[in-house]
């Protein structure tokens, strides 16, 4: 008994000594924390003063305020790049005394080649040249650089890439046009810039959290995680913490533009800045398609070769199904190919069957990862025995894109929760019957009834896509014509002119201060 009391007293003494030690260390730790905080504040203030001095020297030399767009992939051919070039064109027309800079990570090309590519792909020409700042460390925002914790890695990488951009050129107004929200506090607090953002897609969303909670495997939720309740719970905590940081970074923006109703809901929930947030639908090149007659195929059977919706294969007519979208994993080209295979199985080998259908996948490749994905998709076509009916067209010029859309019967889109869907709008303007994913922007903003008339079809699985395609092909030409006409009338909401008016209106509070 005495031994037990001795052990108990010894333990109590050890605990008391430990408490005294921790208490004696507390004050030094507090002092150390205050000292480190002071050093950090002084460092930030010093960097800010250095950067502002550089900006003042530039203004003294050029006497012209500068707006800089952060777009590391500006030489790509997606909808985000169309937004960039249309925004620059609108601002140049409205503000002739303002200079413009584009931060890009593209290497091996010149500024002139980038502008020439924009003209070829999007039919957009700027009235004045812009300055390009070529960033050397774009790899920091490549998903392939972060096999795990990809969102966090890319976001932290974007901060370093943003610092590279800011240290190379200090603008008066910074616009993130590609969704790198973590660059906003860098330019606002270190660079002392006014900042704006155009959000195509929230980096994290409540839909992503729901998919993880429900343990639903998707492109951003691997099966080994969705199948494990512990890993799923850990990933939910990770996403919640990241969402908090993302919201804090995004709330630094003075002006926030989003591209759809779906994106608006998520950004309001995460960034919590309703008074600074507005919808600016992205520009879609609808004018380039409006000169295409929407003829009834029965009435115009003799003229189909030039503008009709059907091609000849031998002496038979061929329906073309066209998909437009960059070869990114979220675009879900696999679903398109698998649904097309099911459609071919339904059609069989007889007249009007397999040989009367072709699937054309049109899109841009940003990097080697996208090119590898195309190789994987070609392999899937071989595996499903549809490679003879599927064509891949990569980084095609605008005129070839237009030609394929003119000859298409169906425009196909399969991305789950697509933020908007410029390709969907282009298909509708060109006169295809659109078949889009039943979610996101296509469901809420685009493929909606217009003046009481149907504008297209929606689906969300291999079977429903195959059935919808079969339904569209079975419609009479006059029924398809009615849908196509209604769809074309509805896309006026997404024209370049509408975008420019809304974009300039949203930017006016910041641009007006620059001019003064």
């Amino acid at each position: 008994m005495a031994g037990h009391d001795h052990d108990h007293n010894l333990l109590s003494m050890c605990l008391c000594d430990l408490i005294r030690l921790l208490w004696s260390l507390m004050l030094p730790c507090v002092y150390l924390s205050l000292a480190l905080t002071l050093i950090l504040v002084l460092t930030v203030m010093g960097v800010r003063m250095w950067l502002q001095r550089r900006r003042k020297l530039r203004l003294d030399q050029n006497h012209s305020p500068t707006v800089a767009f952060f777009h590391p992939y500006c030489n790509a051919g997606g909808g985000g790049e169309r937004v960039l070039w249309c925004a620059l064109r609108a601002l140049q027309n409205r503000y002739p005394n303002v200079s413009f800079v584009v931060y890009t990570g593209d290497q091996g090309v010149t500024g002139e080649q980038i502008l020439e590519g924009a003209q070829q792909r999007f039919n957009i020409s700027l009235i004045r040249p812009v300055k390009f700042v070529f960033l050397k460390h774009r790899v920091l925002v490549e998903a392939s650089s972060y096999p795990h914790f990809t969102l966090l890695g890319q976001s932290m990488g974007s901060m370093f890439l943003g610092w590279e951009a800011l240290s190379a050129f200090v603008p008066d107004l910074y616009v993130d046009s590609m969704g790198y929200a973590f660059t906003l506090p860098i330019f606002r607090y270190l660079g002392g810039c006014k900042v704006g953002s155009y959000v195509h897609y929230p980096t994290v969303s409540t839909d992503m959290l729901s998919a993880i909670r429900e343990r639903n495997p998707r492109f951003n939720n691997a099966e080994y995680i969705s199948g494990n309740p512990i890993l799923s719970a850990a990933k939910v905590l990770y996403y919640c913490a990241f969402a908090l940081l993302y919201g804090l970074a995004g709330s630094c923006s003075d002006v926030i533009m989003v591209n759809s109703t779906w994106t608006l809901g998520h950004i309001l929930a995460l960034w919590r800045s309703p008074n600074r947030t507005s919808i600016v639908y992205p520009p879609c090149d609808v004018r380039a398609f409006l000169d295409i007659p929407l003829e009834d195929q029965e009435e115009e059977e003799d003229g189909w070769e030039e503008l009709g919706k059907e091609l000849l294969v031998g002496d038979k007519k061929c329906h073309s199904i066209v998909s437009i979208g960059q070869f990114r994993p979220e675009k879900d080209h696999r679903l398109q190919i698998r649904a097309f295979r099911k459609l071919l199985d339904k059609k069989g080998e007889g007249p009007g069957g397999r040989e009367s259908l072709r699937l054309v996948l049109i899109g841009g490749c940003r990097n080697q990862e996208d090119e590898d994905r195309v190789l994987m998709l070609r392999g899937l076509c071989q595996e499903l025995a549809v490679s003879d009916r599927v064509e891949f067209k990569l980084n095609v010029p605008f005129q070839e894109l237009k030609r394929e859309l003119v000859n298409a019967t169906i425009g196909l889109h399969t991305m789950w929760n697509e933020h908007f869907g410029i390709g969907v709008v282009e298909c509708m303007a060109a006169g295809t019957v659109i078949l889009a994913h039943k979610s996101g922007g296509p469901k809420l903003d685009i493929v909606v009834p217009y003046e009481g008339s149907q504008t297209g079809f929606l689906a969300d699985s291999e079977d429903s896509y195959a059935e919808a395609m079969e339904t569209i092909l079975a419609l009479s030409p006059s029924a398809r014509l009615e849908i196509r006409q209604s769809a074309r009338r509805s896309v006026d909401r997404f024209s370049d002119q509408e975008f420019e008016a809304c974009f300039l209106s949203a930017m006016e509070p910041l641009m007006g201060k620059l001019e003064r």
Side-chain angles (χ1 to χ4, degrees):
M1 191 71 179
H4 176 75
D5 291 340
H6 175 75
D7 291 341
H8 180 74
N9 292 334
L10 183 61
L11 178 61
S12 298
M13 292 175 59
C14 290
L15 288 175
C16 290
D17 290 340
L18 178 61
I19 292 173
R20 280 194 292 268
L21 175 63
L22 293 176
W23 181 257
S24 65
L25 292 175
M26 180 178 293
L27 198 58
C29 287
V30 170
Y31 287 147
L32 179 61
S33 299
L34 290 175
L36 292 175
T37 301
L38 180 61
I39 292 172
L40 178 62
V41 170
L42 291 175
T43 301
V44 169
M45 291 178 62
V47 171
R48 180 184 172 100
M49 291 174 62
W50 171 63
L51 292 172
Q52 288 184 333
R53 189 179 303 114
R54 290 181 56 192
R55 181 174 63 191
K56 187 176 184 301
L57 288 173
R58 173 181 56 79
L59 284 172
D60 291 340
Q61 293 174 357
N62 299 334
H63 306 289
S64 173
T66 302
V67 177
F69 284 81
F70 188 78
H71 209 103
Y73 295 92
C74 76
N75 200 35
E81 287 66 58
R82 165 165 273 279
V83 168
L84 169 68
W85 302 120
C86 283
L88 280 167
R89 181 178 61 185
L91 290 172
Q92 283 189 342
N93 286 327
R94 174 64 178 81
Y95 302 99
N97 297 322
V98 176
S99 300
F100 296 92
V101 166
V102 176
Y103 299 115
T104 178
D106 295 300
Q107 298 293 322
V109 293
T110 64
E112 291 77 13
Q113 290 173 326
I114 291 175
L115 293 175
E116 182 181 348
Q119 200 282 327
Q120 290 179 347
R121 295 188 186 111
F122 306 117
N123 201 27
I124 296 173
S125 298
L126 301 183
I127 62 173
R128 299 195 307 277
V130 299
K131 176 181 178 180
F132 289 91
V133 175
F134 292 91
L135 307 177
K136 299 178 181 179
H137 300 96
R138 190 175 70 179
V139 67
L140 293 173
V141 296
E142 297 277 359
S144 58
S145 300
Y146 310 98
H148 306 290
F149 299 99
T150 307
L151 290 180
L152 183 61
Q154 286 182 290
S155 298
M156 296 301 102
S158 73
M159 295 180 72
F160 287 102
L161 193 63
W163 168 249
E164 180 186 350
L166 180 60
S167 60
F169 185 91
V170 186
D172 300 284
L173 170 58
Y174 168 79
V175 181
D176 166 39
S177 55
M178 208 172 171
Y180 292 106
F182 285 81
T183 63
L184 298 172
I186 300 293
F187 278 82
R188 178 167 185 169
Y189 296 117
L190 289 182
C193 309
K194 292 293 183 181
V195 295
S197 56
Y198 188 96
V199 183
H200 299 273
Y201 195 87
T203 303
V204 64
S205 69
T206 55
D207 290 336
M208 293 181 185
L209 289 171
S210 297
I212 297 167
R213 287 193 184 100
E214 295 167 6
R215 297 165 64 185
N216 183 8
R218 290 189 180 273
F219 75 90
N220 61 347
N221 193 31
E223 289 188 11
Y224 76 90
I225 293 179
S226 63
N228 187 310
I230 297 176
L231 292 179
S232 291
K235 190 167 184 178
V236 168
L237 292 176
Y238 160 58
Y239 266 56
C240 288
F242 181 83
L244 176 62
L245 295 175
Y246 178 64
L248 291 173
S251 64
C252 295
S253 187
D254 296 298
V255 167
I256 304 165
M257 293 166 280
V258 299
N259 65 346
S260 70
T261 302
W262 182 86
T263 307
L264 175 68
H266 289 286
I267 290 300
L268 289 179
L270 294 167
W271 292 14
R272 301 182 183 278
S273 304
N275 295 332
R276 291 174 275 151
T277 307
S278 60
I279 295 179
V280 179
Y281 288 126
C284 306
D285 192 14
V286 295
R287 286 189 306 171
F289 300 108
L290 297 183
D291 59 345
I292 303 170
L294 295 182
E295 76 288 342
D296 189 317
Q297 291 169 3
E298 288 181 330
E299 296 176 359
E300 300 290 339
E301 189 172 345
D302 294 335
W304 68 269
E305 292 91 349
E306 296 181 9
L307 293 169
K309 300 296 169 188
E310 299 170 337
L311 305 173
L312 276 183
V313 178
D315 59 349
K316 300 177 182 178
K317 290 182 179 179
C318 177
H319 288 283
S320 177
I321 301 168
V322 171
S323 162
I324 302 175
Q326 288 183 326
F327 288 99
R328 306 199 307 262
E330 62 268 27
K331 295 296 184 180
D332 207 351
H333 290 90
R334 294 173 60 90
L335 174 57
Q336 297 178 3
I337 295 170
R338 292 184 182 280
F340 182 66
R341 164 61 191 269
K342 291 198 172 186
L343 175 65
L344 294 181
D345 290 342
K346 289 173 178 285
K347 300 294 284 186
E349 298 290 344
R354 176 189 179 92
E355 295 301 317
S356 69
L357 299 172
R358 63 194 282 262
L359 174 63
V360 183
L361 305 180
I362 303 174
C365 285
R366 303 163 299 170
N367 48 40
Q368 185 61 46
E369 185 179 356
D370 287 353
E371 293 176 6
D372 292 342
R373 191 169 296 110
V374 171
L375 290 177
M376 180 272 295
L377 293 172
R378 291 184 188 273
L380 178 62
C381 291
Q382 293 279 358
E383 177 186 333
L384 299 179
V386 296
S387 56
D388 61 321
R389 309 310 307 155
V390 179
E391 296 180 40
F392 290 82
K393 293 183 178 287
L394 312 181
N395 301 318
V396 300
F398 176 77
Q399 288 303 321
E400 185 175 353
L401 167 65
K402 180 179 177 180
R403 187 162 55 248
E404 287 292 343
L405 285 176
V406 167
N407 290 321
T409 302
I410 298 174
L412 188 60
H413 163 275
T414 51
M415 179 176 171
W416 173 71
N417 272 344
E418 171 81 273
H419 40 88
F420 179 71
I422 288 181
V424 175
V425 176
E426 289 177 340
C427 287
M428 294 166 70
T432 69
V433 179
I434 189 65
L435 171 56
H437 199 282
K438 193 176 181 180
S439 64
K443 177 184 177 182
L444 297 175
D445 292 308
I446 305 174
V447 190
V448 296
Y450 183 75
E451 297 178 347
S453 299
Q454 184 179 2
T455 58
F457 293 79
L458 297 169
D460 57 8
S461 66
E462 292 179 22
D463 290 331
S464 60
Y465 269 100
E467 291 170 4
M469 286 188 281
E470 188 177 31
T471 298
I472 294 169
L473 295 173
L475 291 174
S476 67
S478 59
R480 285 205 296 265
L481 177 63
E482 185 177 343
I483 295 173
R484 290 159 49 210
Q485 288 174 333
S486 178
R488 174 173 282 185
R489 290 194 302 270
S490 73
V491 299
D492 286 341
R493 301 169 292 153
F494 313 121
S495 66
D496 286 3
Q497 294 75 23
E498 284 293 318
F499 168 80
E500 290 181 5
C502 295
F503 182 82
L504 290 174
S505 176
M507 290 289 290
E508 176 59 32
L510 298 182
M511 297 300 297
K513 294 178 181 177
L514 284 187
E515 288 196 314
R516 291 195 294 270

